[in-house]
Amino acid sequence: MGNKSLLLFLAPALFFLLYSSSTIAAGKNNCLVCHTSDATMKLLYKPPAMVASEGEG
Amino acid sequence: MYKGYLVDKNLVAKDPHFATGCMFCHKGNENGGAKESAHKDLVKRPSDNLKTCGMCHRQIADTYGKSLHYTTIGQRQGVMKRFSPTELKQFDEKVFQQSCRSCHASCGGCHVKAPPVGGIGLGLIQGHKFVKKDEGKTCAFCHGGRVYPEYTGEYGGKPDVHYQKGMLCMDCHKKSDMHGDGSTYLSKQDVKDRPACTNCHSKLGQEAKLTTRAAHTRHKGKVTCYGCHASAEYRQCYNCHLDTGSTAKPGFLLGLNPRDRKTLTTLRLIPTVRDSFKHAGVAMSNFDSLPNYWDTPAHNIRKRTDRTRSCDTCHTDKTGLLTRETLVEKGSKANEGLIYNIKPIPINK
């Protein structure tokens, strides 16, 4: 019973420790390799074609 | 601009929105390696589907789906009387869905990334920060052509007194005005509890100063607050066409409110002309059923203006009042109904 309570208490703590946003984002996300690099984005970016129009508001 | 696609790496660790990874919202393939393969099946604007944000922000997503910002039905409502039933159907298919609704649809359009206006997108607001409130961006992205620069004084004249006192959009416009209150409105005019000057300035006609008290008492119900307190010229847009856009210049216009035809107020020229939608093959058989001007709450309010300083500005000089001579050329026949022939003040009264 005591071990079960300890496990129930530790499980969420371990989850948040191991799988916090930074852990997931920094560890697995390859999108961010390019999208956080100024030089890479500058290299890959293609400007869109412009159309004439007036801003609303 | 490439910086519009740069994600601030410092945010990633702090903001719980990033906890599930990019693909959770954007799809694509984070193991794609090259740009093309990584972007295959990419969802550029995930919040176009309200269910994406609604997974966590369910209540807001539910009301937002009915809000005027999302449906943009107010834009349709403002022009629909100009069309015959057949033309309206064409307008809905060829213009409304393609153009009007294209930039007003998503949560991210205000809170993450600027929607492209006139083909120009400013990109991510603050490195993909989920920005709760930053009126200069979240509101001015879309309302930066007219209202916002008029409010801040960037369009000319002095800034709105409320701006000078430190007030921004959300000090008058409530969260429910942005996200909707769950009701489906056809126009912002129908929205319950929309901002009104009298929400704060509730003791009009009880002022200590005699001239102020007299002005407020005499004009009550006849002239809107803007009619006297709008302080400068504001943007008037002309000659809008679906393919080439419109032109703009400053102007100050006073005339009868087209919605009631009895209250004198500030008017703004609507740039819709007879052949605005010609490019899409949509005519306006009933163009003359609506005027070219709508009432506008000019956002450049000052306590003292030319009109509050002297009754003669309106009653003698008729400054800014619409006349047959100043009506827009080749405009709607309904425009003449907005001209108000103001009377001089009888000297002995």
Side-chain angles (χ1 to χ4, degrees):
Chain A
M1 190 68 184
N3 282 345
K4 225 175 192 179
S5 299
L6 188 67
L7 195 66
L8 279 171
F9 174 77
L10 283 177
L14 277 170
F15 176 82
F16 284 113
L17 185 69
L18 295 172
Y19 294 97
S20 65
S21 59
S22 56
T23 315
I24 291 174
K28 290 174 73 177
N29 198 324
N30 292 327
C31 311
L32 294 173
V33 174
C34 291
H35 278 276
T36 54
S37 163
D38 192 287
T40 310
M41 290 310 292
K42 195 174 184 177
L43 193 72
L44 294 174
Y45 177 74
K46 286 177 191 164
M50 279 176 62
V51 291
S53 182
E54 189 68 40
E56 274 300 316
Chain B
M1 181 60 179
Y2 75 94
K3 284 187 187 290
Y5 294 90
L6 262 180
V7 176
D8 180 353
K9 64 177 84 171
N10 297 318
L11 287 174
V12 179
K14 294 178 197 163
D15 189 333
H17 285 99
F18 294 96
T20 48
C22 308
M23 281 179 63
F24 186 75
C25 295
H26 285 286
K27 311 299 178 202
N29 178 12
E30 66 184 5
N31 297 315
K35 181 183 173 184
E36 287 70 26
S37 49
H39 285 190
K40 191 171 184 290
D41 300 325
L42 179 82
V43 179
K44 283 186 178 177
R45 300 179 358 167
S47 63
D48 277 358
N49 181 352
L50 294 181
K51 286 178 184 169
T52 308
C53 301
M55 282 187 279
C56 294
H57 305 278
R58 187 178 163 190
Q59 197 179 355
I60 294 173
D62 283 350
T63 59
Y64 188 63
K66 295 176 182 173
S67 75
L68 286 163
H69 271 134
Y70 183 73
T71 63
T72 64
I73 202 73
Q75 292 181 325
R76 181 181 183 272
Q77 199 70 10
V79 73
M80 64 182 284
K81 284 185 184 168
R82 297 192 196 276
F83 300 113
S84 69
T86 312
E87 290 161 356
L88 181 61
K89 203 176 167 191
Q90 291 172 331
F91 172 79
D92 283 344
E93 288 167 4
K94 296 179 180 175
V95 182
F96 186 66
Q97 286 300 335
Q98 310 291 330
S99 180
C100 306
R101 290 218 64 216
S102 64
C103 75
H104 281 77
S106 72
C107 310
C110 293
H111 295 290
V112 182
K113 186 181 178 185
V117 177
I120 301 170
L122 297 175
L124 296 165
I125 297 176
Q126 290 175 33
H128 209 307
K129 185 175 180 181
F130 289 78
V131 180
K132 188 173 185 180
K133 188 178 84 162
D134 181 354
E135 286 97 328
K137 295 190 172 76
T138 51
C139 305
F141 278 147
C142 291
H143 298 283
R146 298 185 290 195
V147 171
Y148 194 78
E150 289 160 9
Y151 186 63
T152 58
E154 290 166 271
Y155 193 63
K158 289 180 178 171
D160 191 295
V161 67
H162 301 93
Y163 179 72
Q164 279 192 324
K165 300 276 182 186
M167 293 172 67
L168 284 169
C169 313
M170 295 296 287
D171 289 307
C172 293
H173 298 271
K174 295 184 294 293
K175 203 190 286 184
S176 60
D177 296 338
M178 313 298 142
H179 294 153
D181 61 6
S183 304
T184 305
Y185 297 109
L186 293 177
S187 156
K188 65 179 179 182
Q189 314 296 328
D190 303 334
V191 175
K192 287 176 206 157
D193 303 325
R194 54 197 289 253
C197 307
T198 49
N199 289 352
C200 293
H201 303 278
S202 57
K203 294 184 177 173
L204 295 180
Q206 298 172 39
E207 296 83 356
K209 194 178 172 187
L210 180 64
T211 49
T212 309
R213 192 165 70 238
H216 283 154
T217 307
R218 281 182 176 254
H219 292 105
K220 189 179 179 186
K222 297 174 186 169
V223 184
T224 62
C225 307
Y226 316 105
C228 291
H229 290 282
S231 65
E233 293 185 322
Y234 42 92
R235 196 173 211 185
Q236 311 287 348
C237 295
Y238 294 80
N239 207 21
C240 186
H241 290 89
L242 201 57
D243 51 339
T244 56
S246 64
T247 54
K249 62 181 180 182
F252 180 87
L253 302 170
L254 278 176
L256 292 176
N257 184 341
R259 299 177 204 278
D260 65 13
R261 305 278 170 136
K262 61 180 185 183
T263 317
L264 192 65
T265 192
T266 40
L267 299 175
R268 203 187 288 268
L269 187 67
I270 303 301
T272 310
V273 290
R274 290 178 193 275
D275 59 352
S276 279
F277 309 114
K278 189 181 171 185
H279 188 68
V282 184
M284 284 180 275
S285 301
N286 305 324
F287 183 80
D288 292 306
S289 64
L290 290 175
N292 289 108
Y293 305 87
W294 281 122
D295 54 311
T296 187
H299 278 55
N300 53 14
I301 298 298
R302 305 288 300 180
K303 187 173 184 179
R304 293 183 184 85
T305 67
D306 291 347
R307 273 149 286 118
T308 64
R309 287 192 187 98
S310 169
C311 307
D312 288 346
T313 306
C314 289
H315 287 276
T316 305
D317 303 336
K318 302 186 179 184
T319 306
L321 281 149
L322 273 185
T323 62
R324 281 195 173 80
E325 291 71 36
T326 57
L327 286 178
V328 64
E329 286 179 23
K330 298 176 185 172
S332 165
K333 289 173 186 166
N335 292 343
E336 292 203 7
L338 308 183
I339 295 171
Y340 181 66
N341 188 19
I342 201 163
K343 308 255 183 328
I345 301 170
I347 290 170
N348 295 325
K349 275 199 175 180

